[in-house]
Structures are given as structure tokens and as C-alpha cells.
Amino acid sequence: MKALHIHAGPRARQHLEQHGLQSADVHVIPAAAGGPKGLVLGPLDRFIFGEWLAQSEHPVHLVGASIGAWRMAAACLDAPVAALERLEHDYVHQSYDLPAGRKRPAAAHVSQRFAQTLASFYEGRVHEVLQHPRYRLHIVTSRGRRLLGREHPVATPVGYLAAFLTNALHRKAMGAWLERVVFSSPDADGACASLPFGVGDYRTRQVPLNAANFMSALQASCSIPFVLQAVHDIAGAPRGAYWDGGITDYHMHLRYGVEDNIAINSIAVCAYSSGAKGQKHGGFQNEVHQAIGWAKSA
């Protein structure tokens, strides 16, 4: 099939050649940022979560940033196919009011409307996500540091310029301005689920995901800078401004299957910072390009 490309390392390829790909083989599903990308994958999402993955019974980690976080959170609902179809509808039919003389809606207005969309989408159903018997949801966000610690009309653009320049030099250096904060749902015994990837590539924190911070964490993961406002002071997480998870992890190119247990446990319990390994430059630049494209189409 020319439309489908399968990328696999030597061990994975050998397994596929001998056994094929079975749903029981899948333990982690990453969902990258990028709205158009998320929409294109809609039919595949509905097949995976509606039919194929339902054939197995083992726990699966769902890791998402930006629209990827929304997709994975929708997949955790009791009727995933209907939820994913509604996600596509709600995303395509977003509508915002344009003030007189302006070419795009104000970030505060977009944030308010998006918050209303999420509230309607998950109304009375957050427990379905947090108590899913198999899926462990990990919502990736980007928390600002220094000039980006609080949203400000002057400091924020300057801080993002500094983040852009440091990221161009070395990805890890951008951790001086933005850190990865992952909100993780509980595992079967109620403890914060372990991250299914190594945390040696980038400054990282992990925070338990619960009913008090679910909406804020999900909105933060989708909050493109300058298009939406940052989400501040999320319950249970370090104080500060939280933005789109695609800034730090646009492609979700992480070291899956590698667990730095000691570091992760200390982060999950105390929210201490840690170094985190895996993604090349590009997340921040992709988010900037997405924001520019969004503004032009608005």
C-alpha cells in the first residue's frame, strides 16, 4: 500500500515479519501536535480505538500534545468512536468573533470559546478518562520559565524570541525558558502512572492528572502562543504559565520503552524538576509556523 509507510527498527521489523502486527503488541500510542495532522488521522483513530485495540486487554499509554492530547483524551471516553467523530466536528466548526478593524480574534476570546468547547465535550465525563480500565493518559504541556513565567504583553514576545534562539543552538538549551510538564492519569492502583518514555533529553516534570486539573491541563496543551492565552497556575502543578505541548514536543519523538524510574517517581510525588531524551529541534519552530498559518487563515 503506497499510502502507508511503516518505520521499524531491526527488532521490531523482525517481530513484524514473524508475527505481524497484533493489538497486544502495542503498549504506547503517541499523538503529535498539528491540527491538520490530527484531522487526517481521524479515520485511523476510530479504527484503532473502536475496533483493533479493543481486541486486547493490556494497559496502553496514550501520550499526546496539543490536538494529540485532545484526541487521546477523547479515545479514553466510553464511546471512543462517537467522541472522536465529535472532536473532528467541533474542531472544524470552530467560530470566533472578529472585532471591528482586526484581522484575527483576540487570544482571550479564542481561549474563552475553546474552554467552553472542552467543558461541553467532557461535561460529566472526566471520570471516564481518569478511571479508564486500560488507558493511561499523559497530557504534555510547556511551562514557561523566567520571562515566560507569567504571560505579559512585552515579556512574553521577548521570552519566546530567546527560546527560539536557544532552541536553534541546542534543543536542551531551550529548557532555560520552557520545560515539559506531563499530566498523567492514575494507573490501576490509583498511583500516578509512570511515564512510558525516558526523561534524559529535556527538562521535565510530571504531575498527577485529576478532576481538578483535567480541563486546565488539556486546554494548556492546546494553547498556541499568541493565538490563545496561557493557562496559569494549574491545580496541583508548579505555579506559572502553561502553553501548547507542541512547543517542547511537536513530533513526540521520545525514547519510548525507557523508564527513568527514580527521576519519574520524585517528579510525580514532589513535582521536582528533572532533566528529560529524544526530540530534535523543530517543536518550537513548528508551533510558530502553525500560529502564523492560523493567523493568516483567520
Side-chain angles (χ1 to χ4, degrees):
M1 182 184 297
K2 294 183 179 181
L4 181 63
H5 293 264
I6 297 177
H7 298 262
R11 291 175 56 194
R13 178 168 181 171
Q14 182 180 18
H15 179 89
L16 291 173
E17 290 173 344
Q18 295 177 354
H19 307 286
L21 180 60
Q22 308 297 325
S23 59
D25 297 331
V26 177
H27 292 266
V28 183
I29 297 181
K37 184 190 309 176
L39 294 179
V40 168
L41 293 173
L44 185 60
D45 283 346
R46 295 194 294 274
F47 170 72
I48 289 175
F49 293 104
E51 300 179 38
W52 189 68
L53 204 57
Q55 299 172 13
S56 58
E57 299 179 352
H58 65 289
V60 179
H61 292 271
L62 309 182
V63 187
S66 198
I67 192 174
W70 190 4
R71 287 167 51 213
M72 295 300 98
C76 291
L77 294 174
D78 288 347
V81 173
L84 290 165
E85 288 176 340
R86 179 179 174 184
L87 184 156
E88 293 178 32
H89 176 275
D90 289 358
Y91 188 92
V92 171
H93 290 85
Q94 293 179 88
S95 177
Y96 304 101
D97 300 327
L98 282 176
R102 297 194 58 171
K103 294 184 178 180
R104 65 173 184 171
H109 174 62
V110 179
S111 290
Q112 181 184 37
R113 284 284 181 88
F114 186 58
Q116 293 170 350
T117 296
L118 291 181
S120 174
F121 195 97
Y122 291 99
E123 183 178 8
R125 306 187 69 184
V126 174
H127 68 282
E128 297 177 21
V129 178
L130 300 177
Q131 299 173 15
H132 197 283
R134 296 180 54 206
Y135 299 156
R136 312 291 178 250
L137 178 64
H138 304 274
I139 298 177
V140 180
T141 67
S142 303
R143 175 178 175 265
R145 305 181 67 228
R146 296 184 169 84
L147 289 177
L148 297 177
R150 312 295 294 184
E151 191 164 22
H152 186 274
V154 176
T156 297
V158 174
Y160 270 110
L161 175 61
F164 184 94
L165 295 175
T166 54
N167 185 59
L169 295 174
H170 194 282
R171 166 172 163 74
K172 223 171 187 179
M174 193 175 70
W177 302 99
L178 291 153
E179 64 182 2
R180 174 196 295 138
V181 179
V182 186
F183 292 82
S184 301
S185 65
D187 59 19
D189 60 9
C192 184
S194 297
L195 295 178
F197 52 84
V199 290
D201 69 320
Y202 195 79
R203 182 184 180 95
T204 300
R205 300 177 189 245
Q206 186 186 25
V207 174
L209 183 67
N210 53 49
N213 61 24
F214 173 80
M215 291 294 188
S216 296
L218 186 54
Q219 173 149 351
S221 187
C222 299
S223 294
I224 302 172
F226 311 115
V227 177
L228 289 87
Q229 290 182 320
V231 178
H232 288 83
D233 304 333
I234 299 177
R239 288 175 56 83
Y242 290 77
W243 275 283
D244 198 298
I247 300 173
T248 56
D249 297 282
Y250 192 83
H251 298 294
M252 304 306 295
H253 184 205
L254 304 171
R255 294 182 62 210
Y256 298 103
V258 177
E259 294 186 7
D260 300 333
N261 292 318
I262 295 177
I264 291 173
N265 288 338
S266 66
I267 297 169
V269 175
C270 306
Y272 290 148
S273 64
S274 169
K277 209 165 194 173
Q279 181 154 322
K280 299 179 180 179
H281 303 334
F284 183 83
Q285 283 87 342
N286 280 318
E287 282 299 311
V288 170
H289 295 156
Q290 184 176 344
I292 294 173
W294 192 99
K296 288 181 178 178
S297 63

